[in-house]
Amino acid sequence: MSLLERLIASLTALFTLAAGVAGLALVSGWNGTPWLFDLVAAARGPARLELGLVALLLVGLALFLLVQVWQREPAPPRLRQTTQLGDISISLRAVESLVYRAARQVKGITDVDVQVAAAGEELAIDLSLLVAPDLRVPDVTRAVQERVEAYVRETVGVPVSRVGVEVRNIARESRARVE
């Protein structure tokens, strides 16, 4: 969420919080200012319970929004290595991009979904593939496993403990257009 979005959401939450607190104050007996006399009369009249519930809902909603807007997002998982020159940190999202690229380079792969997890000092990779028709699926999946494992080991310098492959579907044949 950008800073501008956070500020707008915060102002909305603060306005909602102020309206909820004012409603609770009116319901509990506050006289308000002269321009609020009509609202005070409504809060003291037959709509007192409804206004109190709405005000309590507004306060709860505003507090929830404020907590959600300013809560820090957890740092994305990283792969950490220590070398003689210092520490290295590689985002698992970056590794997923590398895995995606490697898998797409195998002939017959039309789409890939990637999940990478750090398993101690090694990586565990799960792939979900869309395979082109008329190819031997075992050959294609084996080629993907070998390509991904070698590419990640060479590029990132971390051993791969597992490359799990799921063939999600077989792609439809592309039909040539007749003109």
Side-chain angles (χ1 to χ4, degrees):
M1 188 179 281
S2 73
L3 182 61
L4 180 62
E5 291 171 332
R6 285 179 187 237
L7 289 175
I8 290 171
S10 295
L11 289 175
T12 303
L14 289 173
F15 177 75
T16 305
L17 180 64
V21 168
L24 287 175
L26 290 172
V27 169
S28 60
W30 179 55
N31 288 332
T33 57
W35 59 273
L36 289 175
F37 284 136
D38 290 338
L39 190 54
V40 170
R44 299 264 168 81
R48 182 177 185 156
L49 178 63
E50 290 85 358
L51 182 60
L53 291 174
V54 168
L56 194 58
L57 179 68
L58 288 175
V59 168
L61 178 64
L63 292 175
F64 174 77
L65 282 174
L66 282 172
V67 167
Q68 291 299 314
V69 165
W70 292 102
Q71 185 177 26
R72 291 195 178 259
E73 295 178 13
R78 298 187 168 280
L79 184 61
R80 301 193 189 283
Q81 297 175 333
T82 302
T83 67
Q84 293 176 346
L85 298 176
D87 294 334
I88 298 172
S89 175
I90 303 171
S91 163
L92 291 186
R93 189 172 297 149
V95 176
E96 285 177 356
S97 295
L98 292 172
V99 170
Y100 178 83
R101 181 180 300 155
R104 286 297 304 249
Q105 289 175 354
V106 174
K107 181 185 175 208
I109 301 301
T110 60
D111 190 32
V112 180
D113 289 329
V114 180
Q115 256 189 331
V116 176
E121 298 290 321
E122 299 177 332
L123 292 174
I125 300 170
D126 288 307
L127 302 167
S128 177
L129 306 175
L130 186 61
V131 179
D134 299 328
L135 296 172
R136 283 187 35 90
V137 172
D139 294 342
V140 173
T141 55
R142 189 176 310 106
V144 168
Q145 286 177 313
E146 291 169 358
R147 173 76 180 135
V148 165
E149 189 277 332
Y151 190 71
V152 170
R153 185 176 23 83
E154 292 169 8
T155 307
V156 181
V158 174
V160 176
S161 64
R162 177 177 68 83
V163 179
V165 175
E166 169 198 10
V167 176
R168 179 176 66 241
N169 205 346
I170 303 298
R172 294 182 183 182
E173 289 188 52
S174 60
R175 296 182 180 164
R177 281 203 302 181
V178 178
E179 306 227 7

